[in-house]
Amino acid sequence: MGVRERQAAVRAMRGQMWSPGRPSKAGREDRVRFWEAIAGGLSSEDAAGEAGVSPAVGSRWFRQAGGMPPISLGPVSGRYLSLAEREEIAILHAQRVGVRAIARHLSRAPSTISRELRRNASTRTYRLEYRASTAQWHAQRRASRPKVAKLAVNDRLREYVQDRLAGAITRPDGELLAGPEVRWIGRRHGRRQDRRWARSWSPEQIANRLQVDFPHDESMRISHEAIYQALYVQGRGGLRRELVACLRTGRALRVPQARSRGRGKQFVTPEILISQRPAEADDRAVPGHWEGDLILGLGSSAIGTLVERTTRFTMLLHLPRMRGHGEVPSVKNGPALAGHGAQAVRDAIATSITTLPEQLRRSLTWDQGAELAQHAQLRIDTGLQVYFCDPHSPWQRATNENTNGLLRQYFPKGTDISRHGRDELEAVAAALNSRPRKTLGWKTPAEALNEQLLLIQRGGVATTP
């Protein structure tokens, strides 16, 4: 066969069997392992290593799918040929074994083998060659049945969803309020940066409100999950990806549940969670159990607060900024120039709490902030057993949260707290400790603590005042 005849045969062959491009080296099994690792809480890079692909490929899979698995993680039905069976077919076919013999070897119908050799052969060579990896890629591509998204075909429904999600805000008189101009960068916006102003109904609110606004129109129905997929998954609906900026989280990708559950700090172990705190701290029967937190102000300024659960006695920690704050750029893993790093907070707590007798230094409950990462050294220095609240559970430090609210009278939000010196903090603490409290029978926290100190000096047992 000459060159022209061979080229004509190739063109004819490609006309009958179109090839969409270079086959992917990663198969369904690789993707399943990747998404199972993601479901286990691993990062995209680590999950890619579990699947045997490069970190760049894993990041691309995660980004294209919007953070959620686009395929079923269950096993494939046995009615379809597996990659192992296709490898057997490729080996036997290369050895010029007949179709019926291959079928008997695999316990499959001869028509299945014949159809497989014809439909899933490689089309990028001068002749029809059967390769297992290429055949598996052809089969997976052909097996996909993308369903047309309802938002893509129902214009009326799409306009309703977009208006409730990204519609403009209006003044009470009906005038449009433009709000800040925010450039879409494909990533979650910073905590304090401007966010796009919109009506910002949640997908769940939109899905349920449709039943109220269109009670008799079944075409105006959609689930909140379908709206999320239309926002996050590429090519899965008629909504633009930049509309995720109108969601309350503003994140460009969804976060798997296992990854969000694993966001606790590494220095917090199960044995020091609040569930392990002694029962005497819960019922406030014995003094000496404290709750602590930081009050933040403008420019990363902060002060620490310690509140005793039984007497409500309050101590304020002076956390001045370090030299160079705001003058030199911050260094990764360097000192916390704002003044409330782990070492500064540890030293401040140790300095204040050691002024009390040992009987009033039983435990300290804190949230999972990184400022108490050196809790182990704090326990060694002071004998104070440290416990941590569950993530996002400020109500587990109710006494401290209430006290912080009282302190906001002196340190309002949005003000620079660093301008207050140690003497001023002591004066505010004294003012707070001299207020009579209803929960103490109208005694002051200072009087209640003084009673406990007298009991300790007399050798008695400190009890509830």
Side-chain angles (χ1 to χ4, degrees):
M1 180 184 295
V3 177
R4 293 185 179 180
E5 291 79 1
R6 187 180 303 168
Q7 292 177 350
V10 170
R11 285 194 296 269
M13 188 164 40
R14 290 183 176 177
Q16 295 174 359
M17 302 185 64
W18 172 79
S19 177
R22 177 177 177 269
S24 173
K25 293 184 179 180
R28 182 184 185 279
E29 295 82 0
D30 301 320
R31 292 178 181 266
V32 169
R33 287 196 298 270
F34 172 80
W35 287 109
E36 286 178 345
I38 290 292
L42 296 183
S43 64
S44 302
E45 292 77 10
D46 295 338
E50 293 288 331
V53 298
S54 67
V57 171
S59 299
R60 183 167 65 249
W61 285 354
F62 189 85
R63 184 174 60 254
Q64 290 176 348
M68 301 301 292
I71 60 175
S72 173
L73 302 183
V76 181
S77 174
R79 62 176 293 194
Y80 302 107
L81 290 173
S82 65
L83 178 60
E85 289 177 313
R86 289 190 168 95
E87 290 175 344
E88 289 287 336
I89 294 174
I91 295 173
L92 295 175
H93 183 64
Q95 297 174 355
R96 299 188 180 280
V97 178
V99 171
R100 293 185 178 276
I102 298 175
R104 287 193 300 268
H105 180 76
L106 297 178
S107 300
R108 292 282 188 174
S111 59
T112 300
I113 307 302
S114 176
R115 188 185 309 112
E116 174 68 17
L117 292 172
R118 184 175 66 254
R119 296 178 64 191
N120 293 331
S122 173
T123 61
R124 298 186 66 84
T125 58
Y126 292 128
R127 58 188 181 275
L128 292 177
E129 292 183 348
Y130 185 84
R131 302 177 185 273
S133 58
T134 304
Q136 182 75 6
W137 175 68
H138 276 300
Q140 292 175 1
R141 177 182 54 82
R142 192 179 294 109
S144 61
R145 297 290 185 270
K147 182 180 178 182
V148 179
K150 184 179 290 187
L151 289 175
V153 297
N154 191 333
D155 296 338
R156 185 183 175 206
L157 179 61
R158 182 175 64 254
E159 291 176 0
Y160 181 93
V161 172
Q162 288 187 157
D163 180 65
R164 269 63 182 176
L165 182 67
I169 295 179
T170 59
R171 300 180 187 273
D173 58 1
E175 182 183 355
L176 291 178
L177 191 60
E181 294 184 3
V182 181
R183 182 174 61 90
W184 167 252
I185 58 175
R187 295 182 180 275
R188 184 173 181 176
H189 298 294
R191 186 181 228 177
R192 299 279 182 185
Q193 294 181 12
D194 288 336
R195 287 279 304 278
R196 175 177 175 180
W197 285 10
R199 299 181 69 177
S200 297
W201 287 23
S202 70
E204 186 177 9
Q205 291 171 334
I206 296 173
N208 287 277
R209 183 66 186 186
L210 279 167
Q211 303 178 23
V212 178
D213 293 343
F214 305 94
H216 306 296
D217 190 351
E218 294 297 328
S219 65
M220 298 294 287
R221 298 287 186 271
I222 192 171
S223 66
H224 65 278
E225 178 61 26
I227 299 177
Y228 277 120
Q229 290 187 6
L231 288 170
Y232 284 114
V233 182
Q234 294 183 11
R236 190 67 183 91
L239 300 180
R240 303 185 304 276
R241 280 290 300 274
E242 56 265 27
L243 293 183
V244 297
C246 299
L247 297 176
R248 289 167 189 163
T249 60
R251 61 173 64 98
L253 296 174
R254 300 183 78 173
V255 179
Q257 293 183 358
R259 188 179 294 181
S260 62
R261 287 195 299 266
R263 282 183 172 175
K265 300 297 187 298
Q266 294 182 355
F267 58 83
V268 179
T269 55
E271 59 269 15
I272 56 175
L273 286 175
I274 193 172
S275 58
Q276 305 300 317
R277 191 174 64 177
E280 64 182 30
D282 296 333
D283 56 20
R284 306 176 191 269
V286 179
H289 297 282
W290 297 77
E291 296 178 2
D293 194 15
L294 295 183
I295 293 181
L296 299 179
L298 193 66
S300 296
S301 57
I303 60 174
T305 62
L306 296 177
V307 185
E308 204 280 315
R309 285 177 55 82
T310 301
T311 63
R312 274 69 170 182
F313 187 82
T314 302
M315 304 175 72
L316 299 184
L317 309 177
H318 184 227
L319 301 172
R321 290 169 175 161
M322 298 178 64
R323 180 177 300 176
H325 179 267
E327 301 175 359
V328 297
S330 59
V331 180
K332 185 176 182 180
N333 297 327
L337 301 181
H340 48 89
Q343 182 175 352
V345 173
R346 183 203 70 193
D347 294 342
I349 295 176
T351 301
S352 299
I353 206 73
T354 51
T355 60
L356 299 173
E358 185 178 353
Q359 294 88 335
L360 293 180
R361 292 187 268 127
R362 301 179 187 273
S363 72
L364 171 63
T365 303
W366 206 274
D367 60 13
Q368 294 195 16
E371 64 272 4
L372 213 64
Q374 297 187 12
H375 63 90
Q377 186 63 41
L378 176 64
R379 183 174 65 253
I380 295 173
D381 296 341
T382 64
L384 195 67
Q385 180 61 50
V386 180
Y387 298 95
F388 291 93
C389 297
D390 297 323
H392 313 297
S393 302
W395 52 269
Q396 295 177 341
R397 295 180 299 98
T399 303
N400 184 253
E401 288 293 311
N402 177 266
T403 303
N404 288 348
L406 299 177
L407 289 170
R408 282 300 184 185
Q409 176 182 355
Y410 303 95
F411 312 108
K413 293 183 179 180
T415 60
D416 186 5
I417 302 179
S418 64
R419 67 174 184 266
H420 303 294
R422 191 184 304 273
D423 294 340
E424 294 174 281
L425 297 184
E426 292 178 356
V428 172
L432 205 62
N433 291 327
S434 61
R435 289 185 185 180
R437 301 290 185 89
K438 180 178 180 180
T439 187
L440 299 177
W442 302 112
K443 296 179 182 179
T444 66
E447 293 171 345
L449 182 68
N450 188 55
E451 290 181 2
Q452 300 300 325
L453 292 175
L454 291 177
L455 285 174
I456 292 174
Q457 290 176 358
R458 295 171 185 171
V461 179
T463 58
T464 304

PDB file of all heavy atoms in Angstrom, residues 39-41 255-264 391:
ATOM      1  N   ALA A  39     -12.661  12.537  50.712  1.00  0.00           N
ATOM      2  CA  ALA A  39     -13.718  12.306  51.701  1.00  0.00           C
ATOM      3  C   ALA A  39     -13.146  11.988  53.072  1.00  0.00           C
ATOM      4  O   ALA A  39     -13.797  12.216  54.093  1.00  0.00           O
ATOM      5  CB  ALA A  39     -14.627  11.165  51.239  1.00  0.00           C
ATOM      6  N   GLY A  40     -11.909  11.467  53.097  1.00  0.00           N
ATOM      7  CA  GLY A  40     -11.259  11.201  54.369  1.00  0.00           C
ATOM      8  C   GLY A  40     -10.615  12.405  55.012  1.00  0.00           C
ATOM      9  O   GLY A  40     -10.052  12.293  56.093  1.00  0.00           O
ATOM     10  N   GLY A  41     -10.670  13.558  54.343  1.00  0.00           N
ATOM     11  CA  GLY A  41     -10.150  14.798  54.911  1.00  0.00           C
ATOM     12  C   GLY A  41      -8.789  15.213  54.412  1.00  0.00           C
ATOM     13  O   GLY A  41      -8.233  16.191  54.902  1.00  0.00           O
ATOM     14  N   VAL A 255     -16.196  22.747  50.507  1.00  0.00           N
ATOM     15  CA  VAL A 255     -15.272  22.096  51.430  1.00  0.00           C
ATOM     16  C   VAL A 255     -15.873  20.769  51.864  1.00  0.00           C
ATOM     17  O   VAL A 255     -16.969  20.743  52.425  1.00  0.00           O
ATOM     18  CB  VAL A 255     -15.009  22.985  52.661  1.00  0.00           C
ATOM     19  CG1 VAL A 255     -14.052  22.281  53.620  1.00  0.00           C
ATOM     20  CG2 VAL A 255     -14.438  24.319  52.238  1.00  0.00           C
ATOM     21  N   PRO A 256     -15.205  19.648  51.584  1.00  0.00           N
ATOM     22  CA  PRO A 256     -15.729  18.350  52.033  1.00  0.00           C
ATOM     23  C   PRO A 256     -15.933  18.325  53.542  1.00  0.00           C
ATOM     24  O   PRO A 256     -15.180  18.936  54.304  1.00  0.00           O
ATOM     25  CB  PRO A 256     -14.643  17.359  51.596  1.00  0.00           C
ATOM     26  CG  PRO A 256     -13.949  18.043  50.458  1.00  0.00           C
ATOM     27  CD  PRO A 256     -13.985  19.510  50.782  1.00  0.00           C
ATOM     28  N   GLN A 257     -16.956  17.590  53.985  1.00  0.00           N
ATOM     29  CA  GLN A 257     -17.297  17.578  55.395  1.00  0.00           C
ATOM     30  C   GLN A 257     -16.153  17.060  56.256  1.00  0.00           C
ATOM     31  O   GLN A 257     -15.888  17.586  57.326  1.00  0.00           O
ATOM     32  CB  GLN A 257     -18.550  16.723  55.617  1.00  0.00           C
ATOM     33  CG  GLN A 257     -19.804  17.310  55.015  1.00  0.00           C
ATOM     34  CD  GLN A 257     -21.035  16.473  55.306  1.00  0.00           C
ATOM     35  OE1 GLN A 257     -20.938  15.425  55.932  1.00  0.00           O
ATOM     36  NE2 GLN A 257     -22.181  16.920  54.848  1.00  0.00           N
ATOM     37  N   ALA A 258     -15.478  16.007  55.790  1.00  0.00           N
ATOM     38  CA  ALA A 258     -14.382  15.460  56.590  1.00  0.00           C
ATOM     39  C   ALA A 258     -13.266  16.471  56.757  1.00  0.00           C
ATOM     40  O   ALA A 258     -12.608  16.529  57.800  1.00  0.00           O
ATOM     41  CB  ALA A 258     -13.839  14.187  55.933  1.00  0.00           C
ATOM     42  N   ARG A 259     -13.033  17.299  55.741  1.00  0.00           N
ATOM     43  CA  ARG A 259     -11.981  18.306  55.848  1.00  0.00           C
ATOM     44  C   ARG A 259     -12.371  19.395  56.831  1.00  0.00           C
ATOM     45  O   ARG A 259     -11.541  19.891  57.585  1.00  0.00           O
ATOM     46  CB  ARG A 259     -11.698  18.909  54.471  1.00  0.00           C
ATOM     47  CG  ARG A 259     -10.499  19.817  54.438  1.00  0.00           C
ATOM     48  CD  ARG A 259     -10.250  20.365  53.046  1.00  0.00           C
ATOM     49  NE  ARG A 259      -9.880  19.330  52.100  1.00  0.00           N
ATOM     50  CZ  ARG A 259      -9.601  19.561  50.830  1.00  0.00           C
ATOM     51  NH1 ARG A 259      -9.658  20.806  50.361  1.00  0.00           N
ATOM     52  NH2 ARG A 259      -9.280  18.577  50.023  1.00  0.00           N
ATOM     53  N   SER A 260     -13.646  19.786  56.841  1.00  0.00           N
ATOM     54  CA  SER A 260     -14.082  20.815  57.777  1.00  0.00           C
ATOM     55  C   SER A 260     -14.100  20.292  59.210  1.00  0.00           C
ATOM     56  O   SER A 260     -13.840  21.036  60.151  1.00  0.00           O
ATOM     57  CB  SER A 260     -15.479  21.330  57.391  1.00  0.00           C
ATOM     58  OG  SER A 260     -16.433  20.280  57.456  1.00  0.00           O
ATOM     59  N   ARG A 261     -14.405  18.987  59.383  1.00  0.00           N
ATOM     60  CA  ARG A 261     -14.379  18.419  60.730  1.00  0.00           C
ATOM     61  C   ARG A 261     -12.962  18.324  61.271  1.00  0.00           C
ATOM     62  O   ARG A 261     -12.753  18.334  62.473  1.00  0.00           O
ATOM     63  CB  ARG A 261     -15.019  17.026  60.733  1.00  0.00           C
ATOM     64  CG  ARG A 261     -16.530  17.042  60.585  1.00  0.00           C
ATOM     65  CD  ARG A 261     -17.096  15.701  60.968  1.00  0.00           C
ATOM     66  NE  ARG A 261     -16.594  14.641  60.115  1.00  0.00           N
ATOM     67  CZ  ARG A 261     -17.218  14.203  59.022  1.00  0.00           C
ATOM     68  NH1 ARG A 261     -18.363  14.745  58.663  1.00  0.00           N
ATOM     69  NH2 ARG A 261     -16.711  13.219  58.298  1.00  0.00           N
ATOM     70  N   GLY A 262     -11.988  18.240  60.387  1.00  0.00           N
ATOM     71  CA  GLY A 262     -10.617  18.090  60.830  1.00  0.00           C
ATOM     72  C   GLY A 262      -9.867  19.387  60.982  1.00  0.00           C
ATOM     73  O   GLY A 262      -8.645  19.398  60.932  1.00  0.00           O
ATOM     74  N   ARG A 263     -10.615  20.493  61.127  1.00  0.00           N
ATOM     75  CA  ARG A 263      -9.966  21.797  61.207  1.00  0.00           C
ATOM     76  C   ARG A 263      -9.511  22.172  62.613  1.00  0.00           C
ATOM     77  O   ARG A 263      -9.054  23.276  62.828  1.00  0.00           O
ATOM     78  CB  ARG A 263     -10.917  22.869  60.678  1.00  0.00           C
ATOM     79  CG  ARG A 263     -10.985  22.900  59.157  1.00  0.00           C
ATOM     80  CD  ARG A 263     -11.886  24.011  58.688  1.00  0.00           C
ATOM     81  NE  ARG A 263     -11.828  24.172  57.250  1.00  0.00           N
ATOM     82  CZ  ARG A 263     -12.601  25.014  56.564  1.00  0.00           C
ATOM     83  NH1 ARG A 263     -13.468  25.755  57.196  1.00  0.00           N
ATOM     84  NH2 ARG A 263     -12.498  25.104  55.261  1.00  0.00           N
ATOM     85  N   GLY A 264      -9.687  21.261  63.567  1.00  0.00           N
ATOM     86  CA  GLY A 264      -9.225  21.561  64.900  1.00  0.00           C
ATOM     87  C   GLY A 264      -7.708  21.730  64.933  1.00  0.00           C
ATOM     88  O   GLY A 264      -6.977  21.193  64.108  1.00  0.00           O
ATOM     89  N   PRO A 391     -14.660  23.178  68.651  1.00  0.00           N
ATOM     90  CA  PRO A 391     -14.617  24.253  67.653  1.00  0.00           C
ATOM     91  C   PRO A 391     -15.966  24.948  67.501  1.00  0.00           C
ATOM     92  O   PRO A 391     -17.016  24.317  67.525  1.00  0.00           O
ATOM     93  CB  PRO A 391     -14.223  23.510  66.363  1.00  0.00           C
ATOM     94  CG  PRO A 391     -13.531  22.272  66.825  1.00  0.00           C
ATOM     95  CD  PRO A 391     -14.222  21.888  68.104  1.00  0.00           C
TER      96      PRO A 391
END
